[in-house]
Amino acid sequence: MLPDFDRLLRDCGVQRGGKAPSTTQGTPISAGLSRTVLSRTQMHRVPARFVCGESIRVHPIVEHAQSVAVTAGDASAADTCTPITDTKKFAFSRCVSCQEIAWFSPKVKRRAGLVRSIAILALGVFAAVCEATVVDSGPVNIPVPETASGVSLDVITGNYASQAPLPAGWDIAINSAAGGIAVLSNATSAVASSSGAPLALLPGNEVGSANTFVGGSLAANAFRRTGTLAVGFRFVNEITGATNYGFVQLRTTAPNGFPATVTRYYYENSGAALVVPGYSRLFQSGFEGAAIAADCSAGAVQAALNAVPDGGTVQIPAGTCDWGASRVTTTKSVRFRGAGAGLTTFLRTAPVTEVEVNAGTQFMLTFDCQNTTKQVEISDVSLQGNDSLQSEADRLVDNDNGLYLANSCVDFRIHDVDLRDFSIAALTVRGANSRGVVYWSDFISNFKCQPDPLSCEGYGVVIYGDANQAWPALSLGSNQAVFVEDSYLDDNRHNVASNQASRYVLRHSTMVTTQRTRNFGMVDAHGRNPSYPPGSRSWEVYRNTFKTRPLSMIATGISMRGGDGVIFGNSFNASTFSGQLRANIPAIAWLTDESGCTAAWPVTNQTREAYLWDNDWRGPPPGYEGPAVRVGSSCVNHIRENSEFFLSPRPSYTPYIYPHPLR
């Protein structure tokens, strides 16, 4: 059931017949006009909204534009719309039709003037209807054969093959033609081009409807050099039937482009444009800073941290260094930077048998923030645990951990890191009221599962508060949380988990589960347990993509065992079952309580306020029938629809600014 028109207006702060919310400049966006110009500040503060059959989705790159002219068309007696157009390459994607607008209120139907007003107000109105998601393949590192077949990609399924011609329904191929690397599309796809040749896209460039697209086989002369560039393309999404835009990151080599590797690919699943992110934004032309490590060895890194003044920068050169079981730690405010993820790599190759996590002795790299008094930034490094080196007997007693932010780090930044193959956790954040942002990072294959007493472990990112802290007030939509955004989390027991009065926000990221992790929640929050009181305080999970690998596999998605929060705007991959498209994840979320709801209602720290809405979930697969939100069988009298959880937007809730201001 779609929400009623009045509530949509109210939730966006718009009064009937009034104006859209004022901007920070105090200038309201006018209603009832056929055209308005929004300043850069206005556009940056306005999230994606429905616009008369189309939606404007303001991408973070919007800050590069000074203004945008938006013109709305009239609705005819048949309730058709002239699509909104713009002059600054902003992205549009169809969500619902004008007929569906008319459904909201009879007053809208066949009233061109009001529909026109809605189009202008739409930047502040239809918050709950539609907002799209960027889908990230994660690191794939697919070699491109120097042949006419090259490698073909189907970005929806993740399939690839060396096959010519490009199979029907697949999207783009990279191959060898005309003496070097080339790009091939088919009848349902095309390549972003200039003067008939593929564009070599750089970080900050946009791929969308404003680009020129050319089909067929194109010699990619701009890619016949050494470096990492992106080639943009458009394609027809075989699930939705809509035209989507994406890009493929290529690592190429002079003089003809080969050897070549597809390192990663992205697409936007609504028809909106997307922006090419950076690859490694640091140290393009040498090092600067207060302390430069002699090399990437544990000893050299520790020496640089010891030498740098409080608040200084430590820079680690490129290299792959075996740290064995060594640990590196600091209690300083510091910027810690490598030469790039995949370029500066720390390897843990020895077992770690300590069992006391709070002592911090299991971690490769520890930043102790001394109870909020220190600030840290960590970027452009890779940490790899010993999991792939362990026998099953070794893994039984191994407690391998990666990066640790200890004792309440505040306003921290972690970005452009690759953390993988740890038995316990890739990134651990611990301490009362920790807050900061993790972005542009990969957390891959952190998992172990052993018989009792150790049971199963493995977290991409795990956030702990303090077992002794007071239960925090609920502060959804604020900066009082650990944010994970624009990141890729794959093959972890829990991609994100939490406990002990912690608060986190997971948004605009890609979650992947595999055969070995499928029965564990991709996203998790612990509740109260006598062993580790209190439970998680809050969680906000939105605008993420949830995928299974293989695509047809059934798996668990979001599983919350305590705390309060919101889950909205997420996309769950789907497959065809007996001719019907169904989600591979049987429910949007599972809600239960760590205690099993054995005490009288309400159980301490149980979920009391969960709101779920606007998730792209296509119903359960055969054999997994049930509601969109599943409640643990022992908790059906404790966690009830319209009492503890609601299938509607949370009143007065506004997500915190995206991208996070610390970025």
Side-chain angles (χ1 to χ4, degrees):
M1 176 75 65
L2 291 172
D4 66 84
F5 185 69
D6 285 319
R7 193 178 76 200
L8 287 167
L9 291 172
R10 183 196 68 219
D11 288 349
C12 296
V14 182
Q15 298 178 350
R16 267 195 175 281
K19 297 180 178 180
S22 297
T23 69
T24 53
Q25 297 173 327
T27 305
I29 302 171
S30 298
L33 302 176
S34 62
R35 189 175 189 275
T36 189
V37 177
L38 308 180
S39 73
R40 181 179 77 171
T41 302
Q42 289 171 320
M43 291 297 290
H44 180 60
R45 286 183 54 80
V46 180
R49 298 295 184 254
F50 178 87
V51 183
C52 197
E54 303 289 317
S55 74
I56 294 180
R57 199 173 91 84
V58 182
H59 200 281
I61 202 67
V62 71
E63 290 188 292
H64 290 268
Q66 294 302 313
S67 64
V68 56
V70 182
T71 305
D74 287 349
S76 70
D79 294 325
T80 60
C81 289
T82 301
I84 304 298
T85 59
D86 70 85
T87 61
K88 291 287 185 181
K89 300 196 299 185
F90 286 97
F92 296 84
S93 61
R94 181 167 297 280
C95 297
V96 294
S97 66
C98 283
Q99 288 89 338
E100 288 171 307
I101 295 181
W103 181 89
F104 286 122
S105 169
K107 296 180 181 179
V108 180
K109 194 170 184 179
R110 296 184 178 87
R111 289 180 59 183
L114 183 53
V115 171
R116 180 167 57 243
S117 300
I118 291 169
I120 298 301
L121 278 171
L123 289 169
V125 176
F126 285 88
V129 176
C130 177
E131 189 169 323
T133 304
V134 174
V135 180
D136 178 359
S137 71
V140 291
N141 296 319
I142 303 168
V144 181
E146 193 174 351
T147 65
S149 298
V151 64
S152 299
L153 299 173
D154 183 343
V155 301
I156 298 295
T157 64
N159 292 330
Y160 64 92
S162 181
Q163 185 173 345
L166 183 64
W170 289 35
D171 307 305
I172 190 170
I174 313 298
N175 66 347
S176 178
I181 196 166
V183 182
L184 178 67
S185 56
N186 60 21
T188 58
S189 62
V191 174
S193 305
S194 176
S195 302
L199 279 170
L201 300 171
L202 297 171
N205 291 158
E206 187 177 75
V207 184
S209 59
N211 292 99
T212 298
F213 292 88
V214 177
S217 180
L218 304 174
N221 294 326
F223 294 83
R224 296 179 180 183
R225 55 173 166 153
T226 298
T228 299
L229 298 166
V231 57
F233 63 101
R234 72 180 182 200
F235 67 100
V236 175
N237 186 317
E238 57 262 40
I239 294 177
T240 65
T243 296
N244 290 171
Y245 299 95
F247 62 88
V248 174
Q249 286 182 355
L250 289 172
R251 186 169 61 241
T252 56
T253 310
N256 69 345
F258 291 97
T261 302
V262 174
T263 61
R264 202 170 191 137
Y265 53 86
Y266 300 77
Y267 69 93
E268 217 284 351
N269 69 2
S270 75
L274 74 167
V275 174
V276 179
Y279 310 129
S280 177
R281 281 152 292 281
L282 299 172
F283 314 138
Q284 300 299 317
S285 57
F287 289 102
E288 300 174 358
I292 301 174
D295 53 47
C296 62
S297 67
V301 172
Q302 186 67 71
L305 285 167
N306 293 344
V308 73
D310 197 59
T313 299
V314 168
Q315 298 177 354
I316 317 300
T320 298
C321 290
D322 184 351
W323 283 21
S326 298
R327 291 101 173 182
V328 171
T329 184
T330 185
T331 57
K332 296 176 180 177
S333 292
V334 67
R335 291 181 175 89
F336 184 92
R337 297 175 172 175
L343 298 176
T344 299
T345 302
F346 310 138
L347 300 177
R348 166 163 278 168
T349 57
V352 179
T353 56
E354 290 87 349
V355 296
E356 179 50 62
V357 174
N358 290 335
T361 56
Q362 303 169 332
F363 297 91
M364 285 187 76
L365 189 55
T366 296
F367 295 83
D368 186 337
C369 291
Q370 301 283 290
N371 295 317
T372 75
T373 63
K374 305 295 180 180
Q375 291 186 327
V376 297
E377 177 183 356
I378 302 126
S379 70
D380 290 80
V381 294
S382 295
L383 278 68
Q384 185 169 349
N386 61 26
D387 190 63
S388 62
L389 306 175
Q390 302 287 297
S391 68
E392 284 303 303
D394 292 332
R395 295 176 79 245
L396 183 64
V397 295
D398 187 61
N399 291 293
D400 189 24
N401 271 283
L403 179 61
Y404 186 27
L405 269 57
N407 291 319
S408 303
C409 293
V410 171
D411 294 338
F412 66 82
R413 290 184 288 172
I414 298 175
H415 59 94
D416 299 278
V417 300
D418 184 304
L419 308 181
R420 63 178 69 206
D421 293 336
F422 291 94
S423 298
I424 307 297
L427 169 62
T428 300
V429 180
R430 183 181 290 274
N433 303 314
S434 297
R435 69 170 188 252
V437 60
V438 180
Y439 60 99
W440 287 334
S441 294
D442 298 327
F443 302 89
I444 300 172
S445 297
N446 300 286
F447 178 89
K448 79 169 183 179
C449 210
Q450 297 288 344
D452 287 337
L454 293 182
S455 191
C456 296
E457 304 282 357
Y459 313 105
V461 180
V462 60
I463 303 106
Y464 298 98
D466 187 322
N468 298 312
Q469 75 179 98
W471 188 240
L474 191 61
S475 56
L476 301 178
S478 77
N479 71 336
Q480 299 299 310
V482 173
F483 286 73
V484 179
E485 59 190 48
D486 292 310
S487 291
Y488 179 84
L489 302 98
D490 182 348
D491 190 38
N492 306 294
R493 177 173 172 258
H494 298 311
N495 290 313
V496 177
S498 63
N499 211 337
Q500 296 180 349
S502 59
R503 297 173 285 192
Y504 74 83
V505 178
L506 172 63
R507 59 185 184 176
H508 298 270
S509 294
T510 297
M511 309 288 114
V512 181
T513 192
T514 61
Q515 189 69 41
R516 68 176 182 170
T517 64
R518 61 182 291 188
N519 293 322
F520 304 97
M522 287 192 241
V523 177
D524 177 77
H526 278 271
R528 184 181 179 86
N529 183 296
S531 300
Y532 34 79
S536 304
R537 180 62 189 102
S538 68
W539 27 265
E540 298 168 66
V541 181
Y542 57 91
R543 308 300 179 205
N544 302 291
T545 298
F546 290 82
K547 301 167 64 176
T548 59
R549 191 173 65 244
L551 185 64
S552 59
M553 184 179 71
I554 309 300
T556 305
I558 300 171
S559 179
M560 301 307 194
R561 293 178 267 174
D564 301 310
V566 295
I567 299 170
F568 67 93
N570 300 289
S571 176
F572 299 86
N573 77 240
S575 295
T576 300
F577 298 89
S578 303
Q580 292 185 315
L581 195 63
R582 290 288 183 264
N584 298 83
I585 296 167
I588 294 170
W590 280 258
L591 301 178
T592 187
D593 189 78
E594 192 81 23
S595 70
C597 298
T598 54
W601 180 94
V603 175
T604 303
N605 301 162
Q606 78 155 76
T607 296
R608 300 286 299 274
E609 296 184 50
Y611 291 83
L612 306 92
W613 74 96
D614 191 28
N615 293 285
D616 181 7
W617 179 76
R618 297 171 184 264
Y624 294 84
E625 288 78 9
V629 178
R630 312 284 174 97
V631 176
S633 59
S634 63
C635 291
V636 293
N637 295 319
H638 288 68
I639 304 174
R640 300 155 293 183
E641 185 174 355
N642 298 323
S643 177
E644 285 75 37
F645 77 90
F646 307 84
L647 301 181
S648 59
R650 188 177 193 269
S652 303
Y653 170 78
T654 300
Y656 189 61
I657 302 165
Y658 171 81
H660 197 289
L662 289 173
R663 291 171 56 170

